Amino acid sequence: MDGYLGSYATLGLVLAAGVLLFVAAFGANRLLSPANPAEPPGKRIAYESGVDPVGGDWAQAQIRYYVYAYLYVLFAVEAVFLFPWALIFDRPAFSGFALAEMGVFVAVLALGILYAWRKRILTWT
């Protein structure tokens, strides 16, 4: 389809095909699914690893596990920024400004680890 409105016509056809596929999928689901499915006994009981549940459905988790996860994500993501920098370190165009910038970045990382160490967040008790 050429011309001024050709791109819009192509876009309209793609959108119409998407809507038609969506309607056909949900229509087939409605036609093929049973009206009143059987409810076997115990279907709505919580199930995990083949063990019957014991106790209530609410469990309290300690906040330190979230702190460990947060620290891991924080330092893992920041470590990802070090790899591209290390790959271009030996290039001639590498300037002192880039070196100073990475020094500030590593200093902030070191301050974060020092803070976590001083607050005894990293001790497992």
Side-chain angles (χ1 to χ4, degrees), residues 10-123:
T10 304
L11 178 64
L13 288 173
V14 169
L15 288 175
V19 168
L20 183 65
L21 182 66
F22 179 80
V23 169
F26 274 92
N29 183 27
R30 182 169 287 266
L31 288 174
L32 297 176
S33 64
N36 295 321
E39 183 89 22
K43 181 175 182 175
R44 299 193 185 270
I45 293 177
Y47 179 81
E48 183 174 343
S49 302
V51 179
D52 291 332
V54 176
D57 59 349
W58 188 81
Q60 185 176 9
Q62 294 185 8
I63 190 66
R64 69 177 174 197
Y65 299 123
Y66 296 108
V67 172
Y68 287 122
Y70 178 71
L71 286 173
Y72 171 75
V73 168
L74 177 73
F75 290 113
V77 168
E78 289 181 356
V80 167
F81 289 119
L82 291 174
F83 289 113
W85 179 81
L87 288 175
I88 64 165
F89 184 72
D90 62 345
R91 294 191 181 162
F94 197 76
S95 66
F97 177 72
L99 185 63
E101 193 173 347
M102 189 51 67
V104 170
F105 180 75
V106 170
V108 169
L109 279 176
L111 283 174
I113 291 174
L114 180 66
Y115 176 78
W117 179 63
R118 297 276 289 165
K119 290 287 189 175
R120 301 200 187 274
I121 293 172
L122 301 176
T123 58

